[in-house]
Amino acid sequence: MSNLKYDVIVVGAGPAGLAAATVLAKAGVKVIVIERGRFAGSKNVMGGVFYSDCMKGIIDDFPGKAPVERHIIDQRIWLLDNNSFVGFNHKNELFNKKPYNCHTVFRAKFDNWFAKQAADAGALIITRTLAKEAIIENNRIVGITTGRPDGDIKADCVIIADGVNSLLAKSLGFRKEIKRESVALAVKEVIGLDEKIINDRFNVKSGEGVTIEVTGSFFNGEAMAFIYTNKKSISLGVGMVVEDLVKNKINPNDLLESFKAHPSVAPLINGGETKEYLAHLIPEGGYKEMPKLIGNGVMVVGDAAMMVDAIHREGSNLAVTSGKLAAETYIEAAKAGDFSKKSLSLYEEKLKESFVMKDLKKYKGVPALLQHNKRLLQQYPKILNNAAFEILNVNGVSKHDKEKLLWKNMKQQIGVSNLIRDLFKLWRNVG
Amino acid sequence: MRLEDKLYLDGYKIDEIGGSHLVIKDMSVCLDCELQQCLYVCPCGVYDFDAKRGEIEVNYDACLECGTCRIACQYNNIEWRYPRGGFGVSYKFG
């Protein structure tokens, strides 16, 4: 590798890096992707919903032969209390129409497939190779050192796509250490079950899938959990902001086990066999915690740039889009042969015009809102669960008296002024 | 299900030569640490208090490379690197 010069080095074979590499290779750009795992995808984890739309202009007729699990037609939200949940559902036959909106995927399989598409387009994918440091000459990034002997690689431009921990972005001073409030640890299990059992339990046909997003008083308002259907398995996980894990002295695996044992969850996975246990950080700090995105000869994409829209569980689509926009920026910059920060600022402009920055900006207040207003997901779900039970449980008390009691409880637990304030905050930050 | 049994399901390639990619910078800082959160926040139980030696033990071979310990440590006392290329966890599903 030593004497080879590439046009672009992409660090990290995840959705952002592989999207960039595919677009670049298709345009005839000489691009190399460096991946530290044994194969592309082997280190990569998400809950597992991948939205299709972002693949437009990258992979023709996606999903085609991509290894996807089930397309999602039924999305559920649960506000979980200790013995119960109050839920919202949206199941729609329109989600059964192609092109499918989203699928569950396994990233080890999906990213490996994506890397093959990039390679077929002409990108060189080098695995088992750790990108160590940026090579800087005249205040410009001109390459990457790797852990291999004679492993320096030179290029006009480096695209940093090394994921949430992005030691590279940190070493370049693009950001400080991630704050504990800005990142959530998610742990997940893949639980094997017969396809037919999954179809029956979730009320779908083969190929059709369900997602359940869970939060609420069961977790003291401080965790988000999910249950996703795959072809022959369930992906089940729970995530909590690191600050809350530390403060509450919580062990993530204990948290996961308590979720699995909940009376509303246990029957869904009953008889299943755990196939894999995974842990990964989710960069949830949002717009306000994003690092610098560009420098001379460098662009940062995907999780490394904290591009996650946590309340809509979107991340990989933001990653793919940012990778594509970085590639397009390189192609433009190459016309003038100018890879300076000023020239690459086109990447920031493209991001601002896309849904990526628009969404991140729109929900910029959400991480702090949830971190500093715990009662939103603590007390309200409990009140809702109690209210549902009281209204539905017939015990000789009149509905009028029940409503009076519920309102009295609401006033005692939250207070009218707090209720108004909370609704206003929600409307300001989420509406 | 016990954590040990779960970790047994995961594929690893242990770097016997390169050694641990997680290094405690100064053990005395850990021994004075009021929280010792590394002992509970790690999803794979990498950090363990060895009462005999009076030190925190780092079982790096169980690490899923999430990065939580590094961010959780308020004394920035964990030198956290990626394992060498090709080593560490290798997921089948992901």
Side-chain angles (χ1 to χ4, degrees), chain A residues 205-233:
Chain A
K205 299 192 205 79
S206 289
E208 300 172 344
V210 176
T211 61
I212 310 175
E213 313 293 335
V214 188
T215 185
S217 33
F218 177 72
F219 300 116
N220 219 9
E222 296 188 309
M224 298 291 220
F226 60 87
I227 301 168
Y228 298 157
T229 54
N230 305 308
K231 274 180 192 152
K232 294 175 183 174
S233 63

Side-chain angles (χ1 to χ4, degrees), chain A residues 364-377:
Chain A
K364 66 175 190 279
V366 170
L369 175 79
L370 296 180
Q371 197 59 26
H372 301 302
N373 297 273
K374 291 285 166 64
R375 79 163 161 261
L376 288 174
L377 297 176

Side-chain angles (χ1 to χ4, degrees), chain A residues 36 38 42-45 106-108 165 177 180 185 188-189 246 249 251-253 257 276-277 279 281, chain B residues 1 6 9-10 37 40-41 43 65-66 68 70-72 74 82 85-94:
Chain A
R36 67 189 182 90
R38 285 159 77 180
S42 64
K43 304 277 188 188
N44 304 353
V45 182
F106 290 122
R107 287 284 302 279
N165 281 301
E177 182 58 276
R180 282 191 207 166
L185 169 65
K188 169 176 121 167
E189 279 180 41
V246 171
K249 303 200 167 180
N251 173 261
N253 184 49
E257 286 298 318
E276 194 163 66
Y277 172 70
L281 290 177
Chain B
M1 190 175 179
K6 289 188 191 183
L9 299 168
D10 292 342
Q37 60 268 50
Y40 59 81
V41 296
E65 300 159 38
C66 67
T68 304
R70 185 189 78 247
I71 291 165
Q74 77 266 37
Y82 296 121
F87 290 97
V89 71
S90 198
Y91 289 119
K92 284 191 299 283
F93 294 95

